[in-house]
Amino acid sequence: MSVTIGSGHEGNVREQINAYKARVKGGEMGALPSVLSLFVLTVLFSALNPYFLTEGNFANLLTQTATLMMIAMALVFVILIAEIDLSAGVTSGVAMALFIIMTNRWGIDWRLSILAGLLCGMAIGGIIGFFVAKVGVPSFVVTLGLFLGFQGLQLALLGDGGIYRIEVPEIRAIMNDNLPAWLGWTFLLVGWSLMALLGFYDRRVRSRNGLANRPISLMYSKLAIVGVVGAALVALLNTNRSTSIKEISGVPIVVPIAVTILFLGTLLLDRTRFGRHLYAVGGNPEAARRSGIKVVKIRIIAFVLCSSLAVISGIFNASRVGAVEATAGKAIVLSGVAAAVVGGVSLFGGRGRLIHAAVGALVIAIIDNGLGLIGLPAGINFLVTGGVLILAATVDAVSRKRSAAAR
Amino acid sequence: MTSQRPIVELVGITKSFGPVDVLKGIDFTAYAGRVTALVGDNGAGKSTLIKGLAGVQEYDSGVVKFDGEEVRLSSARSAAALGIEVVYQDLALCENLDIVQNMFLGRESMTGITLNEPQMEFEASKTLTGLSVRTVKSVRQKVASLSGGQRQTVAIARSVLRNAKLVILDEPTAALGVAQTEQVLNLVRRLADSGVAVIIISHNLQDVFKVADDIAVLYLGKMVANLKSTETNHLDVVQYITGTRTMGDQA
């Protein structure tokens, strides 16, 4: 049986590119603005300061970004359903306080302690979800309340001004140690092959169902770009970036962890029933309900996922700092929201992907890093970051209007 | 005309909200392969009647027969299980999802734990093609980019995909321009011709006469007329709707 209505997969490369342009014009911009600004910022800062594009700063930038990237990705799950979690940062702080008390005071195995921290995050997410989805309290209020309350809880757990050194080498290693060169290459190869396999698998299933596929050259180009960029990054990170005698090289351990979470989270959102329903609830909760989707359940799971991933960002932060403080996580949550929005995740719900949050976090980190290198006064980067955020939110609002007007 | 097999039969339906009797003993039948228009002024009880059929709001008393069997429509789920689909005026589509995703929302086909996108895409295309829909370019378009008529088309196609036996359309042309109204009415006609019983609620009598086989008129909670559209005219229907004429007056 032949099908006469297309699916957007038909046509040659040129037609595909035109269709993409039309989508962008129609308001479906996705990560395009943030990728472009990433490019512009990189060119700008490397022109202004030669240190910006060095191996050392590059590795530094990646570890600086990891914590922000993780919390931004966590927030995507709740922003997608047009909610917010202002307590994501302090939730990670509370979970890490629990972790450090278990390892340092009680001498419990670090793996168990991490598990306890993650479970603690899940429980907090469940509580937020209950109040928001079941009781109907606005998430802004629930999580603002927790934001304040958990700061008190952190103080109670760790004491005023309490700082506990992390004694677990495995946790310290995440941000401070690097993969051996061969392992970095292996990781790239595995990830790239996975992407290629997934691509070929999708094409095969489509043609088995008698559906058109996009020109294969498009897929080859995509794989080539990812391969080349990935290889360049790994090669760059595998060169010695030390300024002293001791060699420092390799992909920071946090990178494969973050990329794996990004990959799994994207599979969850794009290819499972839960992901589809999450987008539906974000787009039109009433329509979702009428389609038989259990809206309350989806919302609660979204908050659980957010809080759990926030705990992972807390682990990253603790690893980088080398300690758990009573004030951990307080400052980062708004930057996380900013990163998601800058990356193209819509605060109106229903639109955005994890990769957008990751790119947005890179943009914000680059602004921070680059302006710091140029040596401008500290206040400037807040101004610039704030400006970029408002710009991004404006782009989102305008593109929404445009896609509404395009019909 | 084709078959006269009643899909849904209502006998002596009543519904009140407190002291207000909204439905006062309604008899109503919709047949497979026919479009039945339900008309009446605001407050006549159209919405209440439809909500009962959709399982959203149970009737107080009366008999509901579906496909010849007496049934209870206690929830939207039980109505859907029988094959009753309602296409609401505000459409209930997710703008941020594409056509395929909307058509399969809540009933996705799966391979293991992952969505079977190619199969859903194929089925969606097949259904739209089967309804001779030509206004949609790609089934992977986001609903946000569709016109009102196209959205209505997607909503109707979704009920077909779900193998509905009875499709209830609530003001399907209310917000549409002339050309789009034409397209949607044609679609409604094809839907009925495929053997589905269609109930259409409309205030627009022009549309009603264009598409309906039968016209049922509600006036203040009572069914005041059951007419064949070929045997009546615009003016008669208006008089029934406004209560200036009853079934006994027939000249």
Side-chain angles (χ1 to χ4, degrees):
Chain A
M1 150 123 211
S2 78
V3 163
T4 52
I5 300 169
S7 58
H9 287 251
E10 300 80 3
N12 56 30
V13 177
R14 178 186 294 258
E15 283 161 332
Q16 286 289 332
I17 292 173
N18 285 340
Y20 177 72
K21 280 191 198 153
R23 281 203 297 277
V24 169
K25 273 194 190 147
E28 288 177 46
M29 282 189 268
L32 187 66
S34 55
V35 170
L36 286 182
S37 46
L38 205 58
F39 183 72
V40 170
L41 286 169
T42 308
V43 172
L44 182 74
F45 286 134
S46 41
L48 290 174
N49 187 319
Y51 179 73
F52 181 79
L53 259 193
T54 58
E55 305 87 15
N57 189 47
F58 188 66
N60 197 15
L61 188 67
L62 280 184
T63 46
Q64 269 176 0
T65 315
T67 306
L68 180 64
M69 202 181 265
M70 209 60 221
I71 202 150
M73 282 176 8
L75 286 162
V76 168
F77 287 93
V78 293
I79 297 177
L80 273 182
I81 53 168
E83 304 283 355
I84 194 76
D85 184 359
L86 296 175
S87 66
V90 287
T91 294
S92 75
V94 167
M96 290 319 287
L98 180 67
F99 164 80
I100 206 77
I101 288 173
M102 287 177 75
T103 55
N104 288 27
R105 273 193 215 158
W106 301 340
I108 295 173
D109 183 76
W110 69 272
R111 278 160 287 231
L112 273 179
S113 310
I114 284 288
L115 189 66
L118 284 170
L119 288 174
C120 171
M122 289 173 80
I124 293 170
I127 292 168
I128 301 171
F130 173 80
F131 277 103
V132 174
K134 200 93 185 170
V135 184
V137 188
S139 59
F140 184 88
V141 177
V142 176
T143 60
L144 180 62
L146 288 181
F147 174 72
L148 298 171
F150 281 167
Q151 291 179 42
L153 186 57
Q154 282 174 285
L155 282 177
L157 287 172
L158 299 181
D160 205 353
I163 297 184
Y164 287 75
R165 209 181 109 84
I166 289 191
E167 309 288 358
V168 183
E170 286 87 349
I171 297 294
R172 298 183 71 93
I174 295 173
M175 285 292 207
N176 300 303
D177 289 354
N178 304 298
L179 298 177
W182 66 269
L183 203 53
W185 287 114
T186 311
F187 178 74
L188 176 69
L189 191 67
V190 169
W192 187 84
S193 314
L194 219 55
M195 196 177 141
L197 279 176
L198 213 55
F200 281 117
Y201 172 78
D202 284 348
R203 293 181 72 89
R204 237 188 80 197
V205 178
R206 282 187 67 85
S207 46
R208 212 188 292 147
N209 278 274
L211 300 172
N213 272 310
R214 291 205 164 84
I216 195 149
S217 52
L218 277 182
M219 193 178 123
Y220 287 141
S221 329
K222 194 175 144 195
L223 284 174
I225 291 170
V226 172
V228 169
V229 172
L233 294 185
V234 172
L236 187 66
L237 288 168
N238 276 347
T239 52
N240 184 12
R241 53 180 176 266
S242 171
T243 45
S244 63
I245 303 164
K246 187 172 169 282
E247 181 180 328
I248 304 174
S249 67
V251 177
I253 291 176
V254 67
V255 174
I257 298 178
V259 170
T260 305
I261 292 173
L262 171 66
F263 178 71
L264 292 177
T266 303
L267 286 188
L268 179 71
L269 284 177
D270 285 358
R271 289 174 183 256
T272 70
R273 186 176 269 156
F274 166 76
R276 178 64 39 84
H277 291 181
L278 190 79
Y279 279 102
V281 170
N284 186 345
E286 180 56 23
R289 195 185 60 77
R290 286 187 197 168
S291 302
I293 293 172
K294 295 194 171 65
V295 175
V296 171
K297 192 175 105 186
I298 298 287
R299 284 196 171 130
I300 292 178
I301 297 176
F303 278 102
V304 169
L305 284 171
C306 173
S307 299
S308 315
L309 288 180
V311 172
I312 295 178
S313 95
I315 299 172
F316 288 179
N317 182 53
S319 170
R320 183 172 166 78
V321 179
V324 174
E325 303 170 68
T327 55
K330 195 171 104 182
I332 199 171
V333 70
L334 291 180
S335 306
V337 176
V341 174
V342 165
V345 181
S346 171
L347 280 174
F348 299 102
R351 300 199 310 176
R353 301 162 56 82
L354 287 180
I355 188 79
H356 295 173
V359 175
L362 268 176
V363 169
I364 288 191
I366 282 189
I367 291 173
D368 201 29
N369 176 291
L371 288 178
L373 286 180
I374 296 173
L376 291 179
I380 297 290
N381 66 7
F382 287 114
L383 278 174
V384 174
T385 309
V388 169
L389 173 61
I390 293 175
L391 186 70
T394 310
V395 168
D396 176 31
V398 170
S399 72
R400 261 175 67 90
K401 262 197 192 155
R402 194 182 278 201
S403 66
R407 24 167 153 133
Chain B
M1 266 279 103
T2 48
S3 78
Q4 281 284 29
R5 186 167 61 95
I7 290 290
V8 70
E9 261 184 288
L10 304 179
V11 184
I13 296 293
T14 67
K15 175 80 190 175
S16 9
F17 297 103
V20 185
D21 296 328
V22 180
L23 301 178
K24 305 166 187 167
I26 301 278
D27 298 339
F28 176 78
T29 312
Y31 300 92
R34 291 178 77 83
V35 178
T36 308
L38 187 61
V39 298
D41 214 341
N42 292 336
K46 298 184 306 268
S47 302
T48 312
L49 193 67
I50 291 315
K51 279 182 184 159
L53 276 175
V56 178
Q57 206 174 67
E58 232 181 318
Y59 301 129
D60 291 341
S61 68
V63 177
V64 181
K65 280 191 191 168
F66 192 84
D67 237 353
E69 305 232 346
E70 200 173 323
V71 292
R72 243 193 92 198
L73 300 170
S74 53
S75 69
R77 209 167 274 267
S78 63
L82 289 171
I84 301 177
E85 291 287 339
V86 187
V87 178
Y88 289 98
Q89 198 173 356
D90 47 358
L91 289 173
L93 297 176
C94 293
E95 293 202 357
N96 59 329
L97 301 182
D98 66 32
I99 294 176
V100 179
Q101 293 170 340
N102 266 290
M103 284 177 69
F104 277 91
L105 195 59
R107 298 157 207 228
E108 296 81 3
S109 3
M110 310 291 290
T111 19
I113 58 159
T114 58
L115 298 165
N116 189 343
E117 295 285 357
Q119 201 207 326
M120 289 193 272
E121 192 175 310
F122 175 75
E123 295 287 336
S125 299
K126 201 171 92 177
T127 305
L128 287 168
T129 310
L131 289 167
S132 320
V133 172
R134 285 187 203 84
T135 53
V136 176
K137 239 189 304 170
S138 154
V139 290
R140 286 297 182 186
Q141 261 174 294
K142 295 254 192 287
V143 166
S145 69
L146 299 182
S147 69
Q150 290 172 323
R151 287 172 197 223
Q152 199 62 252
T153 302
V154 171
I156 294 171
R158 175 162 67 172
S159 63
V160 174
L161 191 72
R162 292 173 180 180
N163 289 319
K165 288 182 185 158
L166 169 66
V167 174
I168 302 168
L169 302 162
D170 185 8
E171 295 275 6
T173 58
L176 303 183
V178 178
Q180 294 185 354
T181 298
E182 190 68 29
Q183 284 162 13
V184 169
L185 291 181
N186 286 338
L187 180 61
V188 170
R189 191 62 255 170
R190 284 194 293 272
L191 183 61
D193 290 347
S194 72
V196 175
V198 179
I199 299 175
I200 179 168
I201 299 179
S202 182
H203 275 118
N204 186 333
L205 289 185
Q206 227 178 342
D207 291 356
V208 166
F209 274 97
K210 215 178 274 172
V211 75
D213 302 301
D214 306 304
I215 301 173
V217 188
L218 275 173
Y219 178 70
L220 296 179
K222 284 190 178 146
M223 196 61 82
V224 289
N226 276 299
L227 311 158
K228 297 244 180 310
S229 62
T230 46
E231 296 165 9
T232 184
N233 59 52
H234 208 108
L235 184 67
D236 284 353
V237 175
V238 172
Q239 288 179 337
Y240 282 120
I241 290 174
T242 52
T244 52
R245 185 189 175 117
T246 56
M247 211 61 173
D249 295 345
Q250 216 127 34

